[in-house]
Amino acid sequence: MDILPLITDSAALADLCSRLAQSRFVAVDTEFMRENTYWPDLCLIQIADENEAAAIDPKADGLDLQPLLDLLVENEEVLKVFHAGGQDVEIIFNLTGKTPHPIFDTQIAAMALGQGEQIGYGNLIDSWLGIQLDKGARFTDWARRPLDKRQIDYAIGDVTHLVRIFPMIINRLLKLGRGHWLDEEMERLADPANYRNDADLAWQRVKIPSRKPDVLGRLKVLAAWREREARGKNLPRGRIVKDETLADIAAHPPREQTDLTRVRGLSASWGGNDIGGRMMKALAEAQPLSPAEMPREDKRPGLGKEGSLVADLLKLLLKIRAREIDVAPRLLARIDELELLAAGRRDGLAILDGWRSEQFGKDALDLVEGRLAFAVQQGKLKMTRAEADA
């Protein structure tokens, strides 16, 4: 494989993308910093196919990234391969308003191959290639220029190894007949809705014990205000106001701006400065949360004590079945689905449809409806069925 010099000019990038557009797939990775900013600071993009690999410097003066972005989000003929690509996809979405498609994530694929729910890249490389990565450059300052050879070599390795592993993973999935198991998961990763940051929904990420409509209404406007402040200043949300402070103000709203001097977590200067004034203005516009927006108090409707026991049995069945077929439990079923099934729900559950039904859902339904039970035989946990269904 050819390793190209660091790409810093538009002509070289356009030529690379023209060649990559003829490939079956490309492996993609990014390096970024986000500790001190609201928006991830994109510092490096690595991309490779089976013939060549390159690192691209998005901070280079005058570099036009459009050919690369077109390859990633407009070209449907080239599969884009990531590992744990959620944050990489988020960065591309922030730049384009679109997500890469079609997409394949090797961390998700590893779930179908018995390698756990969130296998790290280093462990993936070790398990498939027997290569132990040098992690010395992992926590480098990617925003500092110039980048040295060790940094670039480390970064490019993330895609050159991925290019080798991807066909191996595909072959293994096809041999096991599990390729279609991942279709839904990959589409979910590529869903733009996952990356839209709606300020009016930001309150849903803040933990607060109260379920009073007036408190939650204040939390909604405060969280939206903080989101706008953080975006405008390009600072992390917590640098504006921490979650616990926001929740405290929503539950115990100050009457006057000067009262902000007594709020734990705020500087005393907020009692008279502009940002404190903007917070108070937002707070004054708060309305009680509408019934349609109110969070459900019980995410396990009608479960009760007996239903909770059934849900526990379903979780045990999930562990047993996942171990039997060597797959990550989360790929088979989500815990909330098991609880809904235990509570009597039957419609709209992914575990009762398609391959999940064949591998787990049918047995789960049989357990809930009394056609399947646990038994200990010769010291081992076994599943037994009613004679009528044997």
Side-chain angles (χ1 to χ4, degrees), residues 210-222:
S210 176
R211 288 296 179 268
K212 296 180 179 179
D214 58 332
V215 173
L216 294 180
R218 288 192 290 268
L219 181 65
K220 179 181 177 179
V221 298
L222 287 170

Side-chain angles (χ1 to χ4, degrees), residues 210-247:
S210 176
R211 288 296 179 268
K212 296 180 179 179
D214 58 332
V215 173
L216 294 180
R218 288 192 290 268
L219 181 65
K220 179 181 177 179
V221 298
L222 287 170
W225 163 82
R226 181 181 67 170
E227 206 73 15
R228 292 190 293 269
E229 291 281 341
R231 288 177 186 172
K233 300 177 187 300
N234 196 23
L235 289 173
R237 299 175 185 89
R239 293 277 187 90
I240 305 297
V241 184
K242 293 188 180 299
D243 281 5
E244 53 267 30
T245 302
L246 213 63

Side-chain angles (χ1 to χ4, degrees), residues 69-77 80 98-99 101:
L69 298 176
D70 287 345
L71 173 66
L72 296 178
V73 303
E74 302 292 349
N75 190 325
E76 291 279 331
E77 301 301 317
K80 293 83 182 182
K98 300 179 181 180
T99 60
H101 193 271

Side-chain angles (χ1 to χ4, degrees), residues 71-102:
L71 173 66
L72 296 178
V73 303
E74 302 292 349
N75 190 325
E76 291 279 331
E77 301 301 317
V78 180
L79 179 67
K80 293 83 182 182
V81 181
F82 296 83
H83 179 80
Q87 293 187 91
D88 304 309
V89 173
E90 177 193 1
I91 288 172
I92 296 167
F93 178 82
N94 289 341
L95 291 172
T96 66
K98 300 179 181 180
T99 60
H101 193 271

Side-chain angles (χ1 to χ4, degrees), residues 12 27 50 53 64 85 111 164 203 220 222 229 299 320 387:
E50 295 171 292
D64 181 8
M111 294 170 61
R164 291 180 61 191
W203 67 276
K220 179 181 177 179
L222 287 170
E229 291 281 341
K299 294 185 178 181
I320 293 172
E387 290 186 5

Side-chain angles (χ1 to χ4, degrees), residues 2 7 42 57 61 69 117 149 281 291 369 376:
D2 293 333
I7 292 181
L42 179 60
D57 185 0
D61 289 340
L69 298 176
E117 296 187 354
K149 185 177 184 301
K281 182 179 178 181
E369 296 181 351
V376 177

